[in-house]
Amino acid sequence: MRKIAVEEHFENDKFRQFDKEAMEGNGFPATADDQRARYLQELFDAPVNEHRIPTMDRLGIDIQIVSTNAQAVQYLRDAGRAVEMAAQINEIAQDFVAQAPQRLKAMAVLPMQDPAAAANELKRCVLEKHFVGGFIHGQTGLGDYPYYDDPCYDVLWDQMEALDVPLFIHPRSPETDQIKAFKGCEELLGNTWDWGFVTGTLVLRMVFNGVFERHPKLRVAIGHMGETLPYCLKRLDEGYECRRLWEQGKIKNPPSYYLKRNLYIATSGGYRPETMACAIEALGVDKILFGTDYPHFPTEEAVAQLENCRLNKTELEHICYKNAETLFHLGQ
């Protein structure tokens, strides 16, 4: 069965320079050893036709929707530099997908330090470069920029609704004060726990502070089987009900209403069959996208996990390619 993979990454030396510029001195603990870092760099640096495309061919992946592995833009404090760097990264992304334009599509990195500039950069990339969505690496800045539920971002959400493209929110390391919660147990940092906690919180802030109330057609996608959100719907609704939040005017419906309507999740990373069953029950099979997190997670294992879920043909078609075709306008 054909597949469209939606959380796939690329990287080069220029991006590594950007990360060094933006992140030097932040002091975040490493979440992978040197051996794994070398292995990933070798895959990133391999020519597209030597590893990426053959892997796709072998496992039935027609299209990768790629995004930069560099987190630099979101870490920058200087808004002007962020706008400049985002444009540079998106130019590189255009050149990258041009190597195999029928097999690779790109999402635009957005400089959220300047919401109006982010809206303009998204429009430029979608209309001129045929990018298929926007992409951000978690929260912007290091505590010095608003979270994405702030009304200052409405100019971007308006543009996303007008262009009818989604926003993909990818994990990044937490702000420095948040790391305190993991002191003495740094093993919980990164993919173990904190990335999911931080990313899920960003989405929940958007839900509870009315972003999806104001922008009902805005679509947000996150990876790793939803960063735990699909499995907490009843608990989230309980918080809404016990605080009588409908009386405060922020949101008119329980949180689960907006998550079911506005959220898409990708299968990227490791999960078990019961996780998929719960996600389908919680959000619906039309909200689940296939992804591998290339090259961070073995593509073979990503495909095998999906096969182990014992889904019927209709469910597999939706998850493997139909949902992505609809969301990213990739219809044949």
Side-chain angles (χ1 to χ4, degrees), residues 229-294:
L229 294 186
Y231 325 107
C232 305
L233 297 190
K234 181 59 179 176
R235 186 68 164 169
L236 297 172
D237 287 352
E238 180 184 345
Y240 167 85
E241 291 161 3
C242 73
R243 292 169 176 82
R244 301 181 66 83
L245 293 184
W246 60 90
E247 295 180 349
Q248 299 180 24
K250 289 183 179 180
I251 52 176
K252 300 175 182 177
N253 299 287
S256 62
Y257 171 85
Y258 304 98
L259 293 171
K260 288 173 180 287
R261 187 187 68 184
N262 299 88
L263 181 67
Y264 287 75
I265 68 172
T267 64
S268 46
Y271 61 92
R272 293 173 56 85
E274 58 266 31
T275 308
M276 175 66 77
C278 183
I280 291 174
E281 182 69 22
L283 301 181
V285 72
D286 61 331
K287 294 300 182 67
I288 301 173
L289 309 163
F290 175 71
T292 77
D293 213 353
Y294 179 95

Side-chain angles (χ1 to χ4, degrees), residues 11 16 34-47 50-51 294-295:
E11 179 181 294
R16 293 171 196 133
D34 291 341
Q35 182 178 353
R36 176 171 172 79
R38 288 193 299 271
Y39 163 78
L40 291 174
Q41 183 167 332
E42 288 175 1
L43 291 184
F44 279 127
D45 289 347
E50 285 189 10
H51 188 271
Y294 179 95

Side-chain angles (χ1 to χ4, degrees), residues 66-227:
V66 302
S67 54
T68 172
N69 198 56
Q71 303 181 48
V73 169
Q74 256 64 62
Y75 275 107
L76 287 168
R77 284 189 162 95
D78 185 287
R81 179 59 179 141
V83 172
E84 177 185 65
M85 186 184 288
Q88 291 176 304
I89 288 175
N90 291 331
E91 294 299 323
I92 296 171
Q94 183 181 29
D95 292 340
F96 181 82
V97 301
Q99 297 177 87
Q102 301 305 313
R103 309 296 302 279
L104 305 173
K105 307 295 179 183
M107 292 185 282
V109 171
L110 302 179
M112 302 295 278
Q113 294 87 342
D114 185 335
N120 290 334
E121 180 64 9
L122 177 71
K123 183 177 181 179
R124 181 180 79 94
C125 288
V126 171
L127 298 184
E128 298 179 14
K129 301 179 181 300
H130 308 293
F131 284 18
V132 297
F135 184 87
I136 55 177
H137 264 108
Q139 175 57 15
T140 294
L142 295 168
D144 40 7
Y145 283 97
Y147 289 100
Y148 303 134
D149 51 287
D150 191 282
C152 73
Y153 295 107
D154 283 352
V155 62
L156 174 60
W157 310 145
D158 286 339
Q159 186 65 267
M160 300 204 86
E161 287 183 301
L163 293 169
D164 193 22
V165 295
L167 174 73
F168 200 107
I169 303 178
H170 189 271
R172 57 153 260 199
S173 297
E175 297 167 40
T176 304
D177 58 347
Q178 295 170 333
I179 292 179
K180 293 178 181 178
F182 304 98
K183 185 176 181 180
C185 195
E186 285 78 10
E187 296 83 359
L188 291 178
L189 288 165
N191 55 345
T192 310
W193 179 251
D194 90 74
W195 284 345
F197 157 75
V198 171
T199 308
T201 299
L202 292 179
V203 174
L204 290 180
R205 288 188 64 103
M206 295 174 74
V207 170
F208 277 86
N209 278 335
V211 172
F212 300 115
E213 189 73 57
R214 303 192 301 272
H215 302 277
K217 295 182 180 179
L218 176 64
R219 279 85 46 78
V220 169
I222 56 178
H224 316 110
M225 290 304 292
E227 312 290 9

